[in-house]
Amino acid sequence: MIKIICVGKIKENYLNDLINDYKLRLSKYQKIEIIELKDSTKEKENQEILKVLNEKDYNICMDIKGKKLTSVELSNLIDKTFTNGYSTITFIIGASDGLTDEVKNK
């Protein structure tokens, strides 16, 4: 399963159309779950992320200060993660002011 935890809701129709298209494409290979959390303060947003985060999953924080991967590197990471026995990869996307260290450490 691929899970995406994100802060904020997509309001633009064209972006929702793209998301739905990619969900349809990916659903042939993996179950997809998107969890949208309400915008709030950084601390409240991160507490909400921690509530839905499963430490048994392979968690990947999407952070502006994080390591940049090419498409091939990301593909290899996903393949290796599933091969190593994880059943779920969770992508965590914070708001523009980032994620707390507590979330990043999970």
Side-chain angles (χ1 to χ4, degrees):
M1 172 192 281
I2 294 177
K3 189 184 311 180
I4 300 169
I5 300 171
C6 55
V7 174
K9 192 161 187 76
I10 301 295
K11 296 170 183 76
E12 295 85 359
N13 287 334
Y14 76 96
L15 290 176
N16 278 315
D17 291 342
L18 288 170
I19 290 167
N20 289 330
D21 181 52
Y22 276 101
K23 280 174 61 176
L24 181 63
R25 292 179 192 205
L26 289 170
S27 67
K28 295 175 185 173
Y29 308 101
Q30 289 289 329
K31 182 178 176 191
I32 306 294
E33 179 182 2
I34 298 176
I35 301 170
E36 295 177 322
L37 303 174
K38 290 183 182 180
D39 290 315
S40 186
T41 64
K42 181 177 181 177
E43 291 73 27
K44 286 182 183 179
E45 290 168 353
N46 283 262
Q47 288 304 314
E48 291 301 312
I49 290 170
L50 290 170
K51 286 180 187 177
V52 296
L53 198 59
N54 186 339
E55 291 186 33
K56 293 181 181 179
D57 297 346
Y58 188 89
N59 298 310
I60 299 174
C61 291
M62 308 297 285
D63 189 88
I64 196 162
K65 297 176 186 172
K67 180 181 176 186
K68 293 181 182 179
L69 301 177
T70 66
S71 295
V72 172
E73 290 171 327
L74 180 60
S75 175
N76 290 337
L77 174 64
I78 291 169
D79 185 49
K80 180 180 164 186
T81 301
F82 285 128
T83 302
N84 286 336
Y86 285 94
S87 61
T88 301
I89 297 175
T90 300
F91 292 92
I92 306 156
I93 306 170
S96 59
D97 56 351
L99 299 165
T100 61
D101 287 339
E102 185 177 8
V103 171
K104 290 178 192 177
N105 290 332
K106 298 284 181 182

